[in-house]
Amino acid sequence: MRAIILAGGYAKRLWPLTKDRPKPLLPIGDHFIIDYIVSKVLKVENIHEIIISTNKKFEANFQEWIKARGLENVRVSIEPSATEEEKLGPTKALELILRDSPEDDYLIAAGDNLFSLDLGEMIAFFRRVKKPVIALFEIENSELAKKYACVEVGKNRRIVGFEEKPERPKSLLVSTGIYALPWRSVSKISDYLREGNPPDPVGKFIGWLSEKEGAYGYKFGGFWYDIGSLESYQAAKEDFEKMQIRP
């Protein structure tokens, strides 16, 4: 299995903090957001490689981070954009990565998430079902749910409904941007894009996959922070300090 961390956005909603640095390299305590994600990925057995998907503007930032951390088997994949207006979208970026990557199962995670999910347990479930698996978190209310992909889960955790940013959410379970995909599924990205489907967000591709071949939801408790605003970033920093969470 290989892991891909999506870090190609320009995060304008967090300017000026992200004007000259990528959102995953914002500090949380003495570390960066991405340190928490990578530390969880490294605990999963048989992860052969971690790929950081970013853009030309932030390539050097991630190369410096990899060197400073002394990380092995971590590489940067560059999407050919340098501005928000040029960006291809994360699904197109995934397609570019897979063109030059081995046929393998893939763990994909958004680079701006902080979560308590045990990735090892999720991957163990994925290896049992041998189908796409989506990490799910139950949020507080339907107004908040409207901002995310809402997921309905039936018997044996099988996904029976997937709707991106619904006006009337049917579920408070939302996709957290963490996916485990077998090669036969993730390799269908080109088919998805050829049909004229949108390259952003990745959730659109996951919803398409769940309809085409079925998928499973893996619900976790504890905490999940989607760092999408200055307010959510500040809340995460304060809570992590209170809980004394470290990578």
Side-chain angles (χ1 to χ4, degrees):
M1 172 170 268
R2 285 166 164 77
I4 299 174
I5 298 175
L6 299 174
Y10 292 89
K12 284 191 172 182
R13 286 188 294 168
L14 277 85
W15 278 18
L17 298 182
T18 52
K19 195 171 180 65
D20 296 308
R21 74 158 75 188
K23 194 195 313 183
L25 289 178
L26 288 178
I28 297 283
D30 296 330
H31 300 83
F32 300 128
I33 291 172
I34 199 170
D35 287 317
Y36 294 87
I37 301 170
V38 168
S39 70
K40 284 183 168 288
V41 172
L42 290 174
K43 292 174 184 175
V44 179
E45 290 185 4
N46 299 317
I47 294 287
H48 303 299
E49 180 182 38
I50 298 175
I51 304 160
I52 311 296
S53 175
T54 191
N55 51 60
K56 287 190 294 186
K57 179 176 180 179
F58 293 133
E59 176 183 6
N61 299 76
F62 285 107
Q63 296 288 13
E64 290 170 8
W65 167 76
I66 290 170
K67 183 178 180 181
R69 294 293 188 263
L71 293 169
E72 298 180 358
N73 297 323
V74 179
R75 67 179 172 91
V76 177
S77 176
I78 305 305
E79 171 197 320
S81 75
T83 66
E84 177 81 25
E85 294 70 29
E86 295 175 348
K87 74 176 185 178
L88 302 180
T91 309
K92 183 63 179 178
L94 282 174
E95 184 192 36
L96 295 177
I97 290 170
L98 295 172
R99 286 178 188 174
D100 301 318
S101 298
E103 295 186 9
D104 205 345
D105 297 334
Y106 282 82
L107 170 64
I108 300 170
D112 57 359
N113 280 350
L114 292 166
F115 50 85
S116 58
L117 169 66
D118 185 321
L119 290 175
E121 292 181 359
M122 175 181 164
I123 297 304
F125 175 72
F126 162 73
R127 287 170 176 156
R128 290 198 300 272
V129 299
K130 298 179 172 62
K131 288 272 192 179
V133 174
I134 306 168
L136 305 176
F137 190 81
E138 188 167 5
I139 56 178
E140 298 173 358
N141 57 67
S142 58
E143 279 303 308
L144 190 56
K146 291 178 182 180
K147 300 178 181 180
Y148 300 104
C150 295
V151 181
E152 296 175 82
V153 178
K155 188 177 180 181
N156 298 324
R157 305 185 189 179
R158 186 111 180 179
I159 290 174
V160 297
F162 190 104
E163 190 174 8
E164 190 77 37
K165 297 182 179 179
E167 279 298 314
R168 296 181 179 179
K170 298 176 183 177
S171 169
L172 295 182
L173 283 176
V174 302
S175 171
T176 59
I178 304 167
Y179 318 104
L181 303 176
W183 175 254
R184 70 175 183 277
S185 301
V186 74
S187 62
K188 291 178 181 175
I189 281 182
S190 294
D191 295 337
Y192 166 85
L193 291 170
R194 272 196 299 267
E195 289 181 9
N197 292 301
D200 190 12
V202 175
K204 291 281 188 180
F205 169 61
I206 301 301
W208 180 87
L209 263 184
S210 68
E211 290 184 3
K212 293 283 185 181
E213 58 185 60
Y216 288 83
Y218 189 88
K219 180 183 175 182
F220 67 95
F223 63 82
W224 172 58
Y225 296 88
D226 172 27
I227 311 299
S229 66
L230 291 169
E231 292 76 17
S232 59
Y233 172 53
Q234 186 61 36
K237 286 204 302 181
E238 292 174 0
D239 289 351
F240 266 51
E241 189 59 38
K242 289 175 188 174
M243 294 185 284
Q244 297 185 338
I245 296 173
R246 300 292 183 268

